[in-house]
Amino acid sequence: MFTATTLSGSKPEQYAELASQARSLLAGEHDRIANAANLSALVYHALPALNWVGFYFHDGNELVVGPFQGQPACVRIPLNKGVCGAAASTRQTQRVADVDAFPGHIACDSASRSEVVVPLVAGGELIGVFDIDSPELNRFDADDQHGLETLAAVFVDSLA
């Protein structure tokens, strides 16, 4: 049985601990829905000041909502729209301090003020995105981005 532990130490140390917990939680399971559901819950409950954590999966044409924690979400996002679409189309992490200042931002949850979206790519193919929102402006820094990119890599690796 998996048990999450309280994170301690510096922010990089906390993310390293969270990545270790994620590896343990996803070990031996290769189903993307099961792993996305568990990773969303782990991150949502482990990190402070979040209001949405989840996945959008690429269906070949657009992003479709997958497992998440938070308020109900937009179901479909075109690849050329919003922060999620930007991460998917550029395959680069998007860290946005103020979502209202992001051109074309899609307000799925009006409480969201900042966001990080990490593209999920395996074997050169877009799987989807890992999306993390906060009700606080400028909630995410470079340490958060690096830590969330590591967690996204743990997820992608779990699918192999």
Side-chain angles (χ1 to χ4, degrees), residues 64-132:
V64 180
V65 72
F68 67 90
Q69 300 281 308
Q71 294 294 322
C74 300
V75 175
R76 296 178 181 277
I77 298 176
L79 295 182
N80 62 347
K81 299 286 184 191
V83 182
C84 288
S89 62
T90 64
R91 296 185 183 186
Q92 294 180 352
T93 299
Q94 303 293 307
R95 178 167 38 110
V96 180
D98 179 357
V99 295
D100 292 331
F102 189 89
H105 175 252
I106 301 168
C108 296
D109 181 348
S110 62
S112 294
R113 293 290 172 254
S114 58
E115 184 171 10
V116 173
V117 182
V118 182
L120 305 169
V121 178
E125 295 297 316
L126 179 68
I127 298 170
V129 298
F130 182 38
D131 183 16
I132 304 91

Side-chain angles (χ1 to χ4, degrees), residues 21-106:
Q21 290 180 22
R23 284 184 197 93
S24 295
L25 181 61
L26 306 183
E29 181 56 63
H30 303 289
D31 184 85
R32 77 176 184 173
I33 300 300
N35 287 348
N38 273 331
L39 187 58
S40 296
L42 179 68
V43 173
Y44 186 80
H45 292 286
L47 299 178
L50 303 179
N51 63 313
W52 204 91
V53 175
F55 291 80
Y56 279 89
F57 292 120
H58 186 235
D59 72 355
N61 296 309
E62 60 191 347
L63 298 171
V64 180
V65 72
F68 67 90
Q69 300 281 308
Q71 294 294 322
C74 300
V75 175
R76 296 178 181 277
I77 298 176
L79 295 182
N80 62 347
K81 299 286 184 191
V83 182
C84 288
S89 62
T90 64
R91 296 185 183 186
Q92 294 180 352
T93 299
Q94 303 293 307
R95 178 167 38 110
V96 180
D98 179 357
V99 295
D100 292 331
F102 189 89
H105 175 252
I106 301 168

